[in-house]
């Protein structure tokens, strides 16, 4: 059970092979529109991130944290940022490399586990872009601490997080199925079924569990918005299941 991140890395690779939505790299046509100034990126399933959340891209050192897959880093690179992507999925990083080669820009790729200390010097980045992925991490606070450490003073963290509501339900049902917290490391049966179903080892985190550690770490919360799943029963009822936020290191 302690090696759950290795299981998750293998799980994500399999999802990519199966055509996972978040593992499909952007097309050349999308990149062409970026070069013309037309772009949007997602932290959560459906709502584009406000452009004014980002620092100027020219000269910006940007870390894509658990952001492999060739979806966001190509956009930032083509807009002028110097990008590094950290991900534990081999196939997600291969997609990053393929898009960079196709579009002719450089990107630093680091295969690593974000539950461990980041392999970067302190105050290395101006911006961290972190799409929904804390649901694959048991403890959130160490991730925020490392984000704070590697950001320069005045640097910003843009993150998408799950608020835990999805874990109350089966995907195709509106009936309450299980209590929170959802933590397979504390439930052997849940661990077994998670692995057998190919779901990886996921964890629910409430908004409090996401934001209190962020603030205790020292970040200033500047802005936020909620989002929905984009499909399914909870979407039909417009239940907010995700949160995106902008935070700054003073």
């Amino acid at each position: 059970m302690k090696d759950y991140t290795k299981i998750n890395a293998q799980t994500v690779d399999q999802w990519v092979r199966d055509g996972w939505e978040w593992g499909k790299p952007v097309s050349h046509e999308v990149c062409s529109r970026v070069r013309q100034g037309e772009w949007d990126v997602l932290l959560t399933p459906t709502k584009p991130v406000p452009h004014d959340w980002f620092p100027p891209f020219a000269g910006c050192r940007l870390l894509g944290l658990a952001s492999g897959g060739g979806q966001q880093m190509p956009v930032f690179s083509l807009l002028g940022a110097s990008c590094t992507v950290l991900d534990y999925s081999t196939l997600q990083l291969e997609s990053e490399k393929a898009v960079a080669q196709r579009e002719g820009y450089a990107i630093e790729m680091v295969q690593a586990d974000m539950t461990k200390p980041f392999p970067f010097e302190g105050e290395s980045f101006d911006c961290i872009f972190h799409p929904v992925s804390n649901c694959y991490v048991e403890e959130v606070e160490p991730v925020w601490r490392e984000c704070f450490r590697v950001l320069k003073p005045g640097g910003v963290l843009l993150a998408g997080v799950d608020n835990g509501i999805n874990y109350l339900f089966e995907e195709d049902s509106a009936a309450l199925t299980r209590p929170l917290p959802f933590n397979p490391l504390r439930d052997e049966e849940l661990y077994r079924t998670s692995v057998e179903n190919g779901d990886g080892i996921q964890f629910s985190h409430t908004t409090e569990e996401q934001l209190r550690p962020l603030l205790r770490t020292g970040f200033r919360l500047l802005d936020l918005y909620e989002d929905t799943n984009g499909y399914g029963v909870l979407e039909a009822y417009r239940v907010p299941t995700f949160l995106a936020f902008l935070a700054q290191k003073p």
Side-chain angles (χ1 to χ4, degrees):
M1 287 188 180
K2 292 182 179 180
D3 291 333
Y4 74 89
T5 58
K6 293 181 181 179
I7 292 174
N8 284 344
Q10 296 166 358
T11 299
V12 170
D13 281 348
Q14 186 58 53
W15 290 348
V16 174
R17 295 186 192 97
D18 293 340
W20 188 39
E21 178 182 2
W22 307 112
K24 296 178 180 178
V26 293
S27 66
H28 176 66
E29 289 70 26
V30 168
C31 291
S32 296
R33 291 197 293 272
V34 174
R35 289 185 171 98
Q36 297 169 8
E38 300 176 18
W39 63 278
D40 275 312
V41 291
L42 297 172
L43 282 167
T44 55
T46 73
K47 290 186 180 179
V49 181
H51 289 193
D52 62 8
W53 279 19
F54 293 93
F57 287 109
C60 175
R61 285 209 64 198
L62 188 148
L63 172 62
L65 180 60
S67 188
Q71 295 191 345
Q72 302 97 18
M73 296 303 106
V75 174
F76 304 142
S77 297
L78 293 172
L79 290 171
S82 175
C83 292
T84 298
V85 59
L86 183 152
D87 206 297
Y88 55 23
S89 164
T90 299
L91 294 188
Q92 290 286 73
L93 291 176
E94 286 181 2
S95 293
E96 291 290 350
K97 181 179 180 180
V99 178
Q101 290 177 339
R102 186 190 73 204
E103 300 299 331
Y105 61 81
I107 184 170
E108 180 184 9
M109 294 177 294
V110 178
Q111 187 162 22
D113 177 356
M114 71 176 177
T115 67
K116 307 293 193 299
F118 298 172
F120 309 115
E121 297 293 328
E123 301 184 2
S124 295
F125 297 98
D126 301 290
C127 179
I128 297 175
F129 189 84
H130 181 47
V132 174
S133 52
N134 280 355
C135 51
Y136 307 108
V137 171
E138 185 179 20
E139 298 293 337
V140 172
E141 187 164 4
V143 177
W144 297 149
R145 285 201 304 264
E146 282 297 284
C147 287
F148 193 87
R149 181 183 67 82
V150 303
L151 275 174
K152 299 175 184 178
V156 291
L157 167 65
L158 288 71
V161 298
D162 187 303
N163 65 16
I165 292 176
N166 278 309
Y167 294 95
L168 293 167
F169 305 90
E170 295 295 344
E171 188 168 298
D172 57 353
S173 172
L176 289 166
T177 302
R178 60 180 71 89
L180 298 180
F182 185 97
N183 186 338
L185 299 188
R186 300 179 184 178
D187 183 328
E188 290 187 6
E189 178 63 19
L190 184 58
Y191 185 93
R192 183 185 63 79
T193 58
S194 294
V195 173
E196 290 179 353
N197 293 338
D199 296 330
I201 307 303
Q202 301 188 37
F203 306 90
S204 66
H205 300 294
T206 64
T207 299
E208 176 183 333
E209 291 168 345
Q210 295 279 8
L211 295 186
R212 287 194 72 198
L214 181 89
L215 297 173
R216 285 198 301 262
T217 299
F219 279 104
R220 295 172 55 231
L221 186 61
L222 302 182
D223 202 358
L224 56 82
Y225 60 86
E226 292 180 313
D227 200 3
T228 59
N229 289 340
Y231 67 92
V233 177
L234 297 184
E235 173 67 22
Y237 286 92
R238 303 300 298 161
V239 177
T241 49
F242 294 92
L243 180 75
F245 64 79
L246 170 66
Q248 185 176 47
K249 177 177 178 177

